Amino acid sequence: MALLPILEYPDQRLRTVAQPVAQVDDRVRQIIDDMFDTMYDAPGIGLAATQVNIHERIITIDVSEDKSEPLVFINPEITVLEGDPESMQEGCLSVPGFYEEVTRIEHCLVKALDRDGNEFEMECRGLLAVCIQHEVDHLEGKLMVDYISPLKRKRIKDKLDKKHKLEARRQ
């Protein structure tokens, strides 16, 4: 198992649309294991393969307090079930240090494959519903900053560009 480098905004590779996983095999399961290690180490509650520069439709999530409920979604498809859109503060491992208000539906159905390639459906509510939508956005090349004003987005981009330049100088 390995910790994978997480791409940070404004890296253009985050805009890549992920391709469906054709076959769930040991290679894909290794990616999943590495993604969980990376997500837990970051620490985060969700990670899309796009964020670690793997452009396949794979998501890992664990919204439990004690990291005891790992969920895998391969080739996820979301259907909105009910409810009004709700706003919630979101953070993102690819936009570190920033939290912004994002509006999403709070109840959805997800169809996906599990780590063994078996199809399943799961109703998601609350934080889990928000998290799965956030991660599916990553697979589509969309980021939480796309939901905020251009001025806020530019401010975040400028701060992260400055951070990346400082890090590059230190190396």
Side-chain angles (χ1 to χ4, degrees), residues 76-127:
E77 298 174 20
I78 295 177
T79 304
V80 172
L81 289 180
E82 65 182 3
D84 296 321
E86 292 190 17
S87 293
M88 185 182 281
Q89 285 280 318
E90 287 188 23
C92 180
L93 296 177
S94 291
V95 190
F98 295 91
Y99 296 87
E100 296 295 334
E101 198 82 10
V102 177
T103 302
R104 299 189 188 272
I105 201 74
E106 68 89 27
H107 185 200
C108 63
L109 178 72
V110 182
K111 284 185 187 178
L113 302 176
D114 66 14
R115 70 177 288 121
D116 295 316
N118 301 312
E119 274 189 48
F120 72 97
E121 288 185 0
M122 178 183 283
E123 271 193 56
C124 303
R125 293 181 184 273
L127 180 58

